Amino acid sequence: NAGVTQTPKFRVLKTGQSMTLLCAQDMNHEYMYWYRQDPGMGLRLIHYSVGEGTTAKGEVPDGYNVSRLKKQNFLLGLESAAPSQTSVYFCASSFGGHEQFFGPGTRLTVL
Amino acid sequence: QQQVKQSPQSLIVQKGGIPIINCAYENTAFDYFPWYQQFPGKGPALLIAIRPDVSEKKEGRFTISFNKSAKQFSLHIMDSQPGDSATYFCAASKGGGGADGLTFGKGTHLIIQP
C-alpha cells in the first residue's frame, strides 16, 4: 500500500497562474482533507470531503477549489495563484474515527 | 480565533530528560485529542491520541495527560532520545468521527541534545 500520495512534490508558479494538486489514497478511506502549513502557524484546514462527490469548506478556503469525483482522489485547485498561497500543502485521509493519515506534502512557491 | 493553543514554541532538552509540551483548547465540542510528530520534509504522523473520558494514556515512552475541567492536555516524552527531535503538534476534533477535520496547535520544535 502506498498510503497517501501527492503530486507534484514541488512547484513554482507566477502570480495569476493556475494549477491543480492531486491527492490519491489506496486505503478506501471515506474522508479526505487538504491542509496548508505555514511557519509558526501549524496546519490549517482548507477544504475537506466526507465522501465521493461531496466537498466542504474548512478554516481557510478562499482562493481554492476542490473536487472529489472518485473516492480515492481529492484535487485542490488554485485558479489564480497569489504570493500568499506560498505554502506546504498536505493531503490527509481518514476512514472515520478521527485518525488521519497524511501525505508527504507539496511545496508551492508563488512568485 | 485560535481554538488550540500550544506551548512552548521551541524546546531543548538533554538526552534522557522529559520534555513536556502543553496544549489548551476552548471548544467543549472537541472529543478527540491527538498528537502528531513531524520530521523535516515529511508529513505529520499520528503519535498518540486520547479521548476526554480518560485522564492519561501511555504508549511506549509517550504519555498524554488530560485535564477536562481545565481544558488542557500535555505530551510527555520519557527517556528522550536524539531521534525524538522533531516538530510536535497537538490537535483536536469534534464528534461525528472527526469528519470536519482537525484543529491544530502551532507546533513545538523539539531538540534533544546528545
Side-chain angles (χ1 to χ4, degrees), chain A:
Chain A
N1 286 350
V4 179
T5 58
Q6 294 182 232
T7 53
K9 289 184 171 53
F10 304 93
R11 186 72 185 270
V12 178
L13 290 178
K14 294 181 179 178
T15 297
Q17 288 185 318
S18 63
M19 77 163 295
T20 300
L21 284 67
L22 171 64
C23 176
Q25 54 93 5
D26 61 1
M27 297 175 283
N28 201 34
H29 285 171
E30 287 294 331
Y31 304 160
M32 296 188 74
Y33 308 87
W34 277 106
Y35 294 88
R36 60 177 289 173
Q37 183 176 26
D38 303 294
M41 294 296 293
L43 288 90
R44 292 179 292 170
L45 183 65
I46 304 171
H47 284 282
Y48 63 98
S49 169
V50 297
E52 182 177 318
T54 74
T55 63
K57 295 180 180 179
E59 179 186 354
V60 289
D62 294 342
Y64 305 95
N65 56 75
V66 289
S67 64
R68 182 103 181 264
L69 298 180
K70 294 182 179 180
K71 185 177 183 178
Q72 63 268 34
N73 295 337
F74 196 27
L75 306 179
L76 178 70
L78 287 73
E79 290 186 346
S80 179
S84 61
Q85 294 177 304
T86 294
S87 188
V88 181
Y89 291 85
F90 287 100
C91 176
S93 70
S94 171
F95 184 73
H98 298 284
E99 180 178 359
Q100 295 186 14
F101 296 83
F102 283 79
T106 294
R107 185 173 295 275
L108 175 65
T109 301
V110 182
L111 302 176

